[in-house]
Amino acid sequence: MPPFRPGQIELRIDRRTLWIGQAAYPLHNIARVFPVVLTPRYAEAFGRFGRRLAITVSVAFVVAAIGNLSIEMTQRSSTRSDNASSFTRTVVTFGVIALVVHVVNLLQVVLQKPQQAVAIETNGTSVALITAPDAQRRLALTQHIAAAIDDPAAGLTVHVDTLSINPAHYYFGDTVNVHGTGNVGRITL
């Protein structure tokens, strides 16, 4: 077995358990193993940014207008314009800070690239993602894990790369909901 590279963990099949690093998955509980391309949610990120931009600008405009109107009605004319411009600068400053945060959130998704992975789904809601540098190795990992489910005694020990992603920023395969009121059937990406 080649030595570990930085960012790798050990994937091991020992008796009837799949070990990915320190996480254990009973082989009889694995429902599906498949290669997948995790695609960033670019459209949703731009839509979310547009909504946040509109809300931030609208709120800043309304707060500035109400604040300036209040200042006009309650203060003498000598201090009125200084207080109004100071209040407007404060509102604009907070608006700009909010917009910077929204731009950072947008860039966190837009700067991501698609990720190639092998997904290991269990009968519950748990999913493990592993990857390898090339498509052949990812396919081989898929086949080895599937074969180990049929014959756990064969065993397997390999080093795999880990993924560090925010699942909210990526599409993870098809959307399937065939139960309840939100029934969409299967939506293939």
Side-chain angles (χ1 to χ4, degrees):
M1 180 168 53
F4 281 111
R5 288 189 336 255
Q8 285 192 322
I9 58 172
E10 183 179 78
L11 180 139
R12 179 171 41 98
I13 296 175
D14 185 22
R15 297 185 193 152
R16 302 208 41 85
T17 305
L18 169 66
W19 291 90
I20 301 175
Q22 296 180 355
Y25 299 89
L27 287 177
H28 69 275
N29 203 26
I30 294 175
R32 179 167 77 149
V33 178
F34 61 102
V36 65
V37 177
L38 303 173
T39 308
R41 297 176 182 258
Y42 298 126
E44 283 91 340
F46 280 108
R48 188 171 45 248
F49 175 75
R51 286 189 304 276
R52 290 176 177 173
L53 175 68
I55 290 169
T56 300
V57 169
S58 300
V59 168
F61 179 76
V62 169
V63 168
I66 292 173
N68 287 331
L69 182 62
S70 174
I71 289 170
E72 289 289 326
M73 297 174 80
T74 59
Q75 295 186 353
R76 296 189 320 252
S77 64
S78 61
T79 60
R80 210 179 285 161
S81 69
D82 290 340
N83 288 342
S85 64
S86 175
F87 181 76
T88 301
R89 278 194 304 271
T90 303
V91 169
V92 168
T93 300
F94 282 113
V96 168
I97 291 169
L99 290 176
V100 167
V101 169
H102 300 327
V103 167
V104 168
N105 288 338
L106 174 67
L107 291 177
Q108 286 176 337
V109 178
V110 171
L111 296 178
Q112 299 298 316
K113 60 183 180 186
Q115 298 283 343
Q116 304 279 337
V118 175
I120 302 166
E121 291 183 355
T122 64
N123 291 334
T125 59
S126 180
V127 175
L129 295 173
I130 57 174
T131 190
D134 57 66
Q136 287 179 325
R137 184 133 186 235
R138 286 188 298 273
L139 181 60
L141 283 170
T142 303
Q143 292 170 342
H144 286 305
I145 294 169
I149 291 170
D150 284 338
D151 183 17
L156 173 70
T157 301
V158 293
H159 297 155
V160 295
D161 295 326
T162 59
L163 290 175
S164 179
I165 63 167
N166 182 345
H169 294 172
Y170 286 89
Y171 291 111
F172 181 71
D174 301 338
T175 300
V176 178
N177 182 3
V178 293
H179 304 288
T181 56
N183 183 345
V184 294
R186 178 178 178 186
I187 301 172
T188 304
L189 299 176

